[in-house]
């Protein structure tokens, strides 16, 4: 059993992409036979981004998506054998935040496999809006947007778009601004 979640679980996109996924990719690169036999505890809520990533993992590493478990409630594990922690960072920070090549390299190679090719055209300048978020919304966003338009920034609420479109936008972006939030985890998809 491999636990692929942290205190923020898989609903938090940045923790999923920058914490759990790099750890899983390291396991797959260094111990693929173990990874194919393991069950992965994720959860608690399976979302469309998980389906996209699990399909890419299955195709790339010959993993069975049914081995990824999303329990609906809290669980308590009582290990009967050894338990190993797996991190290259202080426990408070996700591994990819340290930008160590051993973590970022596998992550970037894998994220390039996800769907969402950018459309031809000039590079985009995006303002990641949090108008749909419960926290950290800009109360004066309506006043800010007219100031950003002459600079070429267009607003985008990522949660309102299908995943391949979100990925395509980030891959085509020349500049991305906005308030702190999970939308910036998408920057890991940028090829530059």
């Amino acid at each position: 059993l491999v636990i692929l979640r942290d205190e923020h679980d898989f609903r938090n996109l940045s923790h999923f992409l920058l914490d759990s996924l790099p750890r899983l990719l390291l396991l797959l690169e260094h111990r693929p036979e173990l990874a194919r036999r393991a069950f992965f505890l994720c959860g608690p809520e399976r979302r469309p981004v998980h389906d996209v990533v699990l399909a890419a993992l299955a195709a790339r590493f010959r993993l069975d998506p049914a081995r990824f478990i999303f329990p609906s409630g809290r669980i308590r594990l009582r290990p009967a054998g050894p338990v190993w922690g797996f991190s290259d960072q202080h426990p408070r920070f996700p591994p990819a935040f340290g930008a160590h090549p051993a973590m970022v390299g596998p992550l970037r190679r894998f994220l390039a496999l996800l769907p969402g090719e950018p459309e031809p055209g000039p590079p985009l300048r995006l303002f990641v809006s949090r108008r749909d978020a419960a926290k950290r919304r800009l109360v004066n966003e309506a006043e800010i947007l007219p100031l950003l338009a002459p600079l070429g920034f267009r607003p985008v609420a990522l949660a309102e778009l299908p995943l391949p479109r979100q990925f395509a936008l980030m891959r085509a972006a020349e500049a991305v601004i906005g308030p702190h939030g999970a939308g910036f985890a998408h920057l890991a998809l940028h090829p530059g």
Side-chain angles (χ1 to χ4, degrees), residues 1-4 34 37-42 67 69 75 77 84:
L1 178 68
V2 176
I3 300 171
L4 279 181
L34 174 66
R37 291 191 330 261
F39 283 90
F40 300 93
L41 181 63
C42 308
R67 297 182 82 84
I69 304 163
I75 60 170
L77 298 175
W84 294 279

Side-chain angles (χ1 to χ4, degrees), residues 68-89:
F68 289 81
I69 304 163
F70 290 81
S72 59
R74 297 201 178 273
I75 60 170
R76 178 174 290 169
L77 298 175
R78 290 190 178 92
V83 175
W84 294 279
F86 185 55
S87 178
D88 70 339
Q89 298 289 314

Side-chain angles (χ1 to χ4, degrees), residues 70-149:
F70 290 81
S72 59
R74 297 201 178 273
I75 60 170
R76 178 174 290 169
L77 298 175
R78 290 190 178 92
V83 175
W84 294 279
F86 185 55
S87 178
D88 70 339
Q89 298 289 314
H90 185 277
R92 291 186 42 156
F93 300 104
F97 284 159
H100 191 283
M103 294 302 263
V104 174
L107 177 64
R108 292 182 68 76
R109 286 190 295 276
F110 176 74
L111 292 177
L113 302 174
L114 297 181
E117 288 302 311
E119 298 169 4
L124 301 175
R125 304 184 99 197
L126 302 174
F127 169 74
V128 178
S129 172
R130 291 188 54 87
R131 66 178 174 252
D132 59 335
K135 298 178 184 176
R136 293 188 302 274
R137 286 187 301 193
L138 295 178
V139 294
N140 64 341
E141 183 173 308
E143 297 169 28
I144 293 172
L145 294 178
L147 300 173
L148 295 174

Side-chain angles (χ1 to χ4, degrees), residues 27-38 62-63:
L27 177 64
L28 287 164
E29 286 197 356
H30 294 283
R31 298 289 305 273
E33 71 291 342
L34 174 66
R36 282 194 271 290
R37 291 191 330 261
R62 298 186 327 265
L63 289 179

